[in-house]
Amino acid sequence: MSYPTEREPWSCDHRTHEEWVALGRPNLGIGIMYIGVGTFFLVGLDFYDYLFYFPAMFALLRSKLQRYPAFKIMTLLGFTDILALFDVSFACGWGAITGQIYCMSPIINRFFGTWVYFFWTVSSSTAVLLALTRFVELLDKKCGKTFFGGNKPFYWFGLIIVYAILLAIFGGKCVFSSYMYAVAYDPFYGMPERNGTVDLVNVS
């Protein structure tokens, strides 16, 4: 994956809006697949009988196992996955159907890009925290209780969220690109220009 030479601003001035729209690559099939998979996991086949995520999360929240730090961490992971799924399924599905590239809808694409970056960071960091918790508790239960016992996981959650916010703001931007039907760090991925430069690989 290539990165733009200058991240701010991502200028769209060298083409008209109509020209950017013409460069988009709509794909109804991929868009439906994105939305379908997200709907399946969030809602299920039958709204009343086969809900997947939400009953599992409610059961986890009401479980007596919440006194264990690992289950608190898994609860955060579950909610993070639910919120991220709205972006990576419905937003990406919309992007594929409409053939989105950054300069077609800069504000909307920035918003969804920041959303996915934030929740990806939270999810990844929380998964690392879960692995660390299990490792420390297996190694030394007393040490595990010292660092992760009681409400201490919530302090770790706070650090993770602050880290995710800072990374989403200062760590770089990503947007959906219909040239790869996924999120890219380069707003001009697959196009000759990349933030005022020419990508010779794609031009040739």
Side-chain angles (χ1 to χ4, degrees):
M1 183 178 294
S2 299
Y3 293 81
T5 55
E6 297 178 18
R7 293 182 180 176
E8 295 293 348
W10 290 353
S11 176
C12 300
D13 295 339
H14 52 287
R15 292 183 187 272
T16 65
H17 178 72
E18 290 73 21
E19 288 174 330
W20 288 118
V21 172
L23 284 173
R25 296 180 175 180
N27 191 308
L28 181 62
I30 292 178
I32 290 174
M33 181 184 69
Y34 266 121
I35 295 171
V37 170
T39 302
F40 179 77
F41 281 104
L42 283 173
V43 178
L45 300 176
D46 185 306
F47 185 80
Y48 297 102
D49 298 326
Y50 297 102
L51 291 171
F52 288 171
Y53 254 121
F54 295 109
M57 293 308 303
F58 287 134
L60 191 58
L61 280 170
R62 297 174 64 182
S63 172
K64 294 179 180 179
L65 295 173
Q66 281 293 319
R67 66 177 181 269
Y68 298 109
F71 285 86
K72 291 184 177 75
I73 296 170
M74 284 189 281
T75 302
L76 176 62
L77 269 175
F79 280 115
T80 301
D81 286 345
I82 289 172
L83 293 171
L85 199 55
F86 282 103
D87 192 314
V88 298
S89 60
F90 300 112
C92 287
W94 165 78
I97 291 170
T98 58
Q100 285 294 310
I101 53 177
Y102 168 66
C103 289
M104 286 174 62
S105 309
I107 295 176
I108 295 175
N109 281 314
R110 279 278 185 103
F111 172 76
F112 285 126
T114 302
W115 182 346
V116 74
Y117 204 172
F118 172 80
F119 282 108
W120 173 80
T121 304
V122 173
S123 180
S124 301
S125 302
T126 306
V128 171
L129 177 63
L130 178 61
L132 179 64
T133 303
R134 303 308 299 139
F135 174 75
V136 172
E137 288 186 334
L138 287 171
L139 197 66
D140 187 334
K141 288 186 178 181
K142 186 177 180 180
C143 184
K145 189 174 182 179
T146 300
F147 286 100
F148 305 107
N151 291 324
K152 289 175 184 174
F154 295 106
Y155 297 114
W156 291 100
F157 297 166
L159 290 175
I160 287 172
I161 291 171
V162 170
Y163 169 65
I165 291 172
L166 292 175
L167 194 62
I169 295 173
F170 301 109
K173 302 293 187 293
C174 56
V175 291
F176 181 87
S177 171
S178 61
Y179 277 71
M180 61 189 300
Y181 301 107
V183 173
Y185 289 102
D186 186 344
F188 305 119
Y189 178 88
M191 289 178 277
E193 60 273 294
R194 282 186 170 168
N195 215 33
T197 64
V198 176
D199 175 16
L200 298 177
V201 174
N202 285 300
V203 170
S204 59

